[in-house]
Amino acid sequence: MTNRPLPGAAPPPGPSAQPAPREAGPDGAEPGVAALPAARRGAGSGPAKGASPAPVRTAARPGRRGGGGRKSPLARGGWTPWLYLAPALVVIGGLLVYPVYQLGLISFLEYTQAQVSGGEPATFQGFGNYATLFGDPQFWQVLLATVLFAGACVVSTLAVGCALAVLLTRVRAVPRLALMLAALGAWATPAVTGSTVWLLLFDPDFGPVNRILGLGDHSWTYGRYSAFALVLLEVVWCSFPFVMVTVYAGIRAVPAEVLEAASLDGASQWRIWRSVLAPMLRPILVVVTIQSVIWDFKVFTQIYVMTGGGGIAGQNLVLNVYAYQKAFASSQYSLGSAIGVVMLLILLAVTLVYLRLIRRQGEEL
């Protein structure tokens, strides 16, 4: 009668399963045991009878990373990407970093026409220029007007650009081409030329707009709000093509099946835009919004040309024109530099806050 193994027990080793004899190491110990501390090599330190031997740990090879960690992008690519980026970084450093450094430096100095001509040395003022600027009530009025005007321009530009982008997807090839060419023509027009053309269109004596509307000799640039409205129209006219082309490219990348399914479900065009297209185009809308904020917050040419340097008694001043007047009209270059630094900080803060809000919503940019 043969002994049967109990359920769950390992079968007895056969003749071929006998372990091969191992040669002893130099000190008489078995290989692998020599790597263990000497205190653990006693007679009682071996595994119990019937238990499987513990795995032997071997020392890691020098120069290899443990844990299967990934190398950083810099370690994988080395310095090759930075060598390719070096020319662009040098150009950006010369055209952006150094002027910003000089702008911040002058804002902390007393720098007027006397210092420019070399008659007096420039003296360090600390935050004195900023204290003078923040203590001027006109600065806060101009800042409020700039924020409101830039916000109205951004909203109007996005609305017109997105609406025309959706329209481009609904018309045939010939009207779409005509609209694209007209928009790109407006975008390519220099700001000075576009501002002059708009002044001729709304001229109180010879402008066709007043004749068509029957307004007689109404002056659009005399009143504060009408002048801001006229400049806003010109800014939107030369800015919406960028939004239109960018959003149109994003819409064309959306799968047609998604839009067709929304239409079959009975969704209107506004509902398709609000619930389908806008969420899918959010990264693109982030880019065009930030670009519009930067461009419209630092508008200079349109205001300066169309309102004659800021309007009557400075009623149409924005921060860029206000800085120009302080720096070049009044020769207070330090105050003009301080205004420029304030504008830079405001734009950086708005951009960072907007990007943080988008990241909190789970969007990848």
Side-chain angles (χ1 to χ4, degrees), residues 112-202:
T112 60
Q113 188 61 38
Q115 283 75 26
V116 173
S117 60
E120 297 181 6
T123 58
F124 183 73
Q125 297 293 321
F127 290 95
N129 293 321
Y130 292 95
T132 303
L133 183 65
F134 294 152
D136 187 4
Q138 187 181 15
F139 167 76
W140 297 105
Q141 296 176 3
V142 174
L143 177 60
L144 178 61
T146 304
V147 172
L148 296 178
F149 175 74
C153 289
V154 170
V155 173
S156 302
T157 302
L158 291 177
V160 174
C162 293
L164 292 179
V166 175
L167 179 62
L168 288 176
T169 62
R170 298 289 185 267
V171 298
R172 296 182 179 274
V174 175
R176 180 168 60 248
L177 179 61
L179 181 56
M180 292 280 287
L181 292 177
L184 293 178
W187 193 17
T189 303
V192 176
T193 305
S195 301
T196 305
V197 170
W198 276 77
L199 280 179
L200 292 177
L201 292 176
F202 289 86

Side-chain angles (χ1 to χ4, degrees), residues 13-109:
S16 61
Q18 296 294 334
R22 293 184 292 180
E23 296 182 2
D27 55 351
E30 294 181 1
V33 180
L36 299 176
R40 299 178 58 185
R41 290 195 228 149
S45 61
K49 186 177 181 180
S52 58
V56 179
R57 296 183 180 180
T58 57
R61 296 183 181 178
R64 297 183 62 182
R65 299 183 58 181
R70 296 181 179 178
K71 295 183 179 181
S72 62
L74 182 60
R76 289 199 303 265
W79 292 98
T80 303
W82 294 101
L83 292 178
Y84 285 109
L85 292 174
L89 293 177
V90 171
V91 174
I92 292 176
L95 298 179
L96 181 63
V97 177
Y98 182 73
V100 170
Y101 163 75
Q102 287 291 335
L103 183 72
L105 179 62
I106 295 176
S107 67
F108 290 102
L109 302 175

Side-chain angles (χ1 to χ4, degrees), residues 245-272:
V245 173
T246 307
V247 175
Y248 173 72
I251 294 176
R252 298 298 295 179
V254 175
E257 295 80 4
V258 177
L259 303 178
E260 184 178 357
S263 300
L264 293 176
D265 290 341
S268 61
Q269 295 298 326
W270 168 247
R271 186 56 183 263
I272 292 176

Side-chain angles (χ1 to χ4, degrees), residues 11 16 26 110 167 202 232 253 290-291 330 334:
S16 61
E110 182 183 359
L167 179 62
F202 289 86
L232 183 145
I290 293 176
Q291 290 280 4
S330 303
S334 54

